[in-house]
Every structure is written in structure tokens, then in C-alpha cells.
Amino acid sequence: MADEVVLLDLKASPFAARVRIALEEKGITYESKVEDLSNKSSTLLKMNPVHKQIPVLIHNGRPICESMIIVQYIDEFWSQKSSLLPSDPYRRAHAWFWADYIDKKIYPIGRNLWASEGEVRESSKKDLVECFKVLEEELGEKPYFGDESFGYIDLALIPFYSFFYTFEILGELRMVAEFPKLVGWGERCLQKESVSKSLSGQKEVYEVILQIKQKLGIQ
């Protein structure tokens, strides 16, 4: 009996993009059900009653929530396909550390950058610059954060590549000039079909952000 795999999805969400990439990396056929977060479906409220947020992976009727938890589940359940997490315990812990860093830093600071004004915006800009410097140092001269192949850390970070244009326009960051290694890494990741077909375009994300800012009444 074939697995029934459903993703409660949102196209521009970096968190949903992580799950789409993981499913594509594993070659898993799935149904994408796009949610309207201003009018959440009964399925979403039932499958994620705690946070009521996407993404949610529904595998044979059972829900798994939170993007990197879902990615790990996908990696472990469909283990016959190439692994996203390293087998070595130390390298696996290293990957978890950096995925946690990305979750705690890039999204909240990036959101503060485009959703705020004045001192908060300037402070967020400085913080985001420091985060990108840290990530560039970790990347070093490697093609991927997972060394020679695309892996768990790359998958955690690459959806935020779609926000680079937003950071440039609304945050006045100079991504290519200041972070050439990260930009080059992002372009390298996009050469993978699993990534390119799963990510929203940078200008598409920018337009979504402008719509959110308008709804929030932010100049």
C-alpha cells in the first residue's frame, strides 16, 4: 500500500520550502494543500492544534509539525534514499547546532529588519550582518555547509536565499559585495532541481513582504 503524504503548505514560506526540498530530495510523491493563514482550514486546526501554523506533514493520516522536525522525520522514515543528516554523531550534532542557529537568528532578525523602523531597524541590520558573517565563516571554502554535498544545514538556510533581495532593498544590505560566499553558495544550491522547483523567486518574496507590510501599516 502506497504512503499517503500531504503537505499543508504556503508557497512563500521558507519553512514550508524546507519540507518541499526534503520531499523532492527523497523523491517522495506528495499532495500540496496551500493554506490561507487569514482563514485557516479545519484540517490545519485539527492537525496542528497547538501552533496552528504551517508546514504540517500528514503521513498516512498522522501529522508532523515544525519544519526541521519534519525534515528529520522525512530523512529517517525514507532512509533508503540519500541521507540529509550525517551518520557520524558529532557531525549530526554539528548540523543540528547550525540549523538551530539559523532558526533563532535569521528569520526573527530578518523579520525585524523589514517590519520595523528607526533604531530597531538599524539594530536588526547590524545583527543580520553579523549573522551572515558568522555563516560565511562556517561555510569557508566548502561548496556546501555539509562539505561536498547538499545536506541538513544547507536545507535549513537555503529558503532564506529567497529573502536576499528583500534584505537588499528594505534593509540596504549589499549581499553580493558583503557576502559573496553566501551568494555563491545560494546560486550553487539553486542548480539542484529539488531546490529550484521548491523555492519562491526573490522578487516574488519581496512582493509578498510588501503586501504584509501594507496590511500591518508599516511604511
Side-chain angles (χ1 to χ4, degrees), residues 70-89:
I70 298 171
V71 168
Q72 189 171 345
Y73 175 87
I74 290 168
D75 199 36
E76 292 181 3
F77 189 87
W78 288 282
S79 58
Q80 68 275 21
K81 305 288 179 68
S82 58
S83 182
L84 295 167
L85 271 163
S87 58
D88 175 73

Side-chain angles (χ1 to χ4, degrees), residues 105-203:
K105 296 285 188 178
I106 302 302
Y107 179 75
I109 295 173
R111 192 183 191 285
N112 272 343
L113 179 65
W114 59 257
S116 62
E117 301 172 302
E119 291 183 8
V120 174
R121 180 175 170 275
E122 287 304 310
S123 175
S124 298
K125 178 179 177 180
K126 290 178 182 177
D127 290 345
L128 193 58
V129 165
E130 286 306 309
C131 288
F132 285 147
K133 286 179 179 177
V134 168
L135 288 168
E136 279 222 326
E137 184 175 348
E138 169 61 20
L139 179 62
E141 301 303 321
K142 302 189 298 289
Y144 299 102
F145 284 93
D147 294 327
E148 295 302 316
S149 60
F150 182 87
Y152 191 78
I153 306 172
D154 304 289
L155 190 151
L157 182 58
I158 190 57
F160 295 102
Y161 177 81
S162 296
F163 288 74
F164 281 12
Y165 181 75
T166 299
F167 296 153
E168 287 181 329
I169 301 301
L170 300 181
E172 299 177 353
L173 271 67
R174 298 178 302 140
M175 297 303 298
V176 175
E178 295 184 75
F179 312 109
K181 290 181 181 178
L182 273 184
V183 172
W185 161 84
E187 292 171 348
R188 193 174 305 115
C189 291
L190 276 175
Q191 292 174 14
K192 293 179 63 65
E193 185 180 2
S194 61
V195 175
S196 62
K197 72 186 295 185
S198 300
L199 293 190
S200 297
Q202 292 192 358
K203 292 189 177 180

